[in-house]
Amino acid sequence: MRLLFLMVEHIGLIVGIAFLLMRFTAFRKLIDHNLDLFTILKLSLLFGIFGIIGTYMGIPIRTGTDSFLWEPRFNPIGFDEAIANSRVVGVVIGGLLGGPWVGIGAGLIAGIHRAMLGGFTGLACGISTVMGGLISGLVYHKLGNRRMVSPLIALLTGAIVETLQMVIIVLISRPLENAVELVQLIALPMILANSIGIAVFVTIIRSVVQKEDRIEANQAQKVLHIADQMLSYLGQGLTQESATAISRLLLKTIGGSAISITDHEKILSHVGEGDDHHLPGHTVLTEATKRVLQTGIMSVPKSVDEVHCTQKGCPLSVAIIVPLKNFDKVIGVLKFYYKNPKQIKPVDIEVAQGLGDLLSHQLEVVGAQNQAQLIREAEIKALQAQINPHFLFNSLNTIVSLIRTKPDLARKLLIQLGYFFRQNLNTSLHNFVTLKQELDHTRAYLDIEQARFTESLSVQFQSEPQIDNILLPPLTLQPLVENGIRHGLKGLEKTGEIHIHAKETQEGYALISVKDNGVGIPLERVSELLRRPIESQEGTGIALYNVNQRLISHFGEEARLHIDSTLNQGTCIWFKVPIQQQGIIS
């Protein structure tokens, strides 16, 4: 019983280390990182060191006596000695969090170290440590690579691994009578203490991760709510009325002492403390704001001198100032004011920057919608009105869901989203774009759609480079691809496939096709799709009709769309255009 109490005390130290490690962001990110080779090596080393610490925190026992020492042993042990230890805690945790390779790696590190310490159980303990890492890794694999196992699973895994260690000691260690005597002494204390320690270790990690997940989920939900509300205020762009409504929304949902929005010269809105002198319509007062307007770089002034408001006695001494941009041009700032530097947390800075970027993107989208009213071709206006809002919100939902688990992919999708909308805007300025620009625009759209549908969407591009610069009406390919995804692949149980081919024919045409393996189109509906707009539950139902009419308008009847479709096998939409004088449209 005394040995059990000593083991529990030593386990407490290990669990304490786990609690401290979970305070460090770098450790938490390491647990959630993709299991590439470098991450596996780092996790193996980390939990292998945990195992070594568990060995050194163990209690030396000499067979043939009922005594054991309180002090840990850091030097090689005698042949007739063994160690009642918590080595498997680190190794099993490594396997449960990182899988078989991490478990084996940590087991090898801790197991080799234990074997090198000596004693008649050295080899048996080394082998059992590696086996423990493998077993815990297989549990991780069996449970479907879950992010975090339950404390009960961790408890049972620990008990099984420790029981196996006792069996291996009896089978391998010699003399046999010493091995049996040792197992009778240490089996129950080590199985109980270490399995409980593993369960507590997992509970600590699980509670911290779940708390962070709840916080991030709340933040994401809050940001999406704000995004939805802000977009509804921006119908006429960034005006004093829309800026005031947005400032009130942000002050209510985000908090702080005051929220302010400016354009490049004057204050558009100020809600909260200091509204007696930060008046809408007046020129920008603070030097910190003027610097951000000039540099386009976010600033976090944390003193009255840094904010430098020209009004004496201004209560606003701290701020987060985020530039608002329209195609990389600074058009204003979004400001979060506070009274005390201690009120600003790192998450507040990240949220402020994210909201500034979101508002900038929304202003670009609103600008696109307003510009669409000036487009000479009504068809393009209809297409842009169909694409922008739905695609924007679907994309934002996808990106928000990836920010924690796959930050690199989330960053890539943001870049692609920006490129997509920029190209979407540029279409209003030209009658023609190059095939390469159309393909790049479509590729940006498909990158985001693939992130939404993960492995259920496969995309293939095949284009001959000699026709990259042929001219097409803007928004020709992307609506065809979107039509294939939204209608052809909807509800498909197998992996959806989109093939985009562009090649030169012997007759001097560019033959371009978009093919899917979806549900197909009924024959009676095919002829209707190109003759008139069709009512659709999703979108305006004019995409195919629109593209077809513009192709015919620019290139004649021979450029019309052709639809080849077989039910439950897929659809191919193709057209051909003459290879005319080529040029790059900026």
Side-chain angles (χ1 to χ4, degrees), residues 270-281:
H270 186 99
V271 178
E273 298 281 347
D275 58 2
D276 57 336
H277 59 278
H278 291 273
L279 299 174

Side-chain angles (χ1 to χ4, degrees), residues 232-253:
S232 67
Y233 296 140
L234 291 173
Q236 299 301 318
L238 195 59
T239 63
Q240 287 192 14
E241 291 76 16
S242 62
T244 299
I246 291 171
S247 296
R248 288 173 178 162
L249 171 68
L250 294 179
L251 186 64
K252 178 181 178 181
T253 55

Side-chain angles (χ1 to χ4, degrees), residues 376-389:
R376 285 171 291 178
E377 295 188 26
E379 297 92 343
I380 295 181
K381 289 192 297 183
L383 280 177
Q384 288 183 322
Q386 177 178 335
I387 292 171
N388 284 342

Side-chain angles (χ1 to χ4, degrees), residues 121-425:
T121 62
L123 178 61
C125 290
I127 293 173
S128 63
T129 302
V130 178
M131 292 296 296
L134 174 61
I135 290 172
S136 57
L138 292 176
V139 170
Y140 165 92
H141 185 72
K142 183 67 175 177
L143 294 177
N145 301 342
R146 291 182 188 174
R147 185 180 179 205
M148 194 68 59
V149 301
S150 69
L152 178 60
I153 295 295
L155 178 74
L156 294 176
T157 303
I160 292 171
V161 169
E162 276 295 356
T163 301
L164 177 63
Q165 179 174 224
M166 300 303 149
V167 172
I168 292 175
I169 289 175
V170 172
L171 292 176
I172 295 179
S173 299
R174 294 295 181 269
L176 178 60
E177 57 272 16
N178 287 4
V180 173
E181 178 188 350
L182 176 67
V183 168
Q184 290 175 339
L185 178 63
I186 68 173
L188 184 60
M190 286 184 62
I191 292 172
L192 289 177
N194 288 341
S195 57
I196 292 173
I198 291 169
V200 173
F201 199 124
V202 167
T203 301
I204 291 173
I205 297 177
R206 187 185 178 96
S207 63
V208 172
V209 170
Q210 287 179 339
K211 180 180 179 182
E212 288 192 344
D213 286 347
R214 285 194 297 270
I215 293 173
E216 291 185 0
N218 290 335
Q219 290 285 3
Q221 186 176 14
K222 184 185 295 184
V223 168
L224 287 174
H225 170 70
I226 292 172
D228 189 27
Q229 292 295 312
M230 284 199 305
L231 193 59
S232 67
Y233 296 140
L234 291 173
Q236 299 301 318
L238 195 59
T239 63
Q240 287 192 14
E241 291 76 16
S242 62
T244 299
I246 291 171
S247 296
R248 288 173 178 162
L249 171 68
L250 294 179
L251 186 64
K252 178 181 178 181
T253 55
I254 302 299
S257 299
I259 304 290
S260 180
I261 298 176
T262 78
D263 61 17
H264 207 276
E265 297 178 351
K266 63 181 182 297
I267 300 170
L268 294 178
S269 70
H270 186 99
V271 178
E273 298 281 347
D275 58 2
D276 57 336
H277 59 278
H278 291 273
L279 299 174
H282 287 204
T283 58
V284 173
L285 296 179
T286 65
E287 291 297 324
T289 300
K290 294 176 182 178
R291 285 195 300 272
V292 173
L293 287 170
Q294 292 172 354
T295 63
I297 300 174
M298 185 181 73
S299 175
V300 187
K302 295 186 178 180
S303 69
V304 174
D305 292 337
E306 291 184 46
V307 173
H308 197 67
C309 178
T310 57
Q311 179 73 23
K312 291 185 178 180
C314 179
L316 305 174
S317 59
V318 187
I320 304 173
I321 307 175
V322 183
L324 300 177
K325 298 181 179 180
N326 190 356
F327 300 109
D328 297 327
K329 179 182 178 182
V330 178
I331 59 172
V333 297
L334 171 63
K335 298 187 284 187
F336 299 79
Y337 281 113
Y338 301 86
K339 292 183 178 180
N340 191 318
K342 295 180 180 179
Q343 291 179 285
I344 299 181
K345 301 181 288 295
V347 68
D348 295 325
I349 297 175
E350 293 181 8
V351 169
Q353 186 172 19
L355 288 173
D357 292 341
L358 179 61
L359 183 54
S360 295
H361 285 306
Q362 288 184 327
L363 288 171
E364 291 180 3
V365 174
V366 170
Q369 294 171 338
N370 292 337
Q371 234 180 14
Q373 298 174 6
L374 305 177
I375 296 176
R376 285 171 291 178
E377 295 188 26
E379 297 92 343
I380 295 181
K381 289 192 297 183
L383 280 177
Q384 288 183 322
Q386 177 178 335
I387 292 171
N388 284 342
H390 298 291
F391 183 65
L392 172 64
F393 284 112
N394 288 337
S395 302
L396 286 175
N397 279 326
T398 301
I399 292 168
V400 166
S401 70
L402 292 172
I403 285 176
R404 175 176 173 81
T405 58
K406 298 180 179 179
D408 290 339
L409 179 57
R411 183 162 49 250
K412 175 187 174 183
L413 293 181
L414 277 175
I415 294 172
Q416 290 291 66
L417 183 64
Y419 177 83
F420 177 85
F421 278 109
R422 285 184 178 88
Q423 288 298 105
N424 218 34
L425 288 172

Side-chain angles (χ1 to χ4, degrees), residues 435 439 443 461-468 500-503:
L435 173 61
L439 289 172
R443 187 175 285 108
F461 283 83
Q462 288 184 351
S463 177
E464 296 178 353
Q466 69 268 24
I467 60 172
D468 277 351
I500 301 168
H501 293 175
K503 66 179 182 179

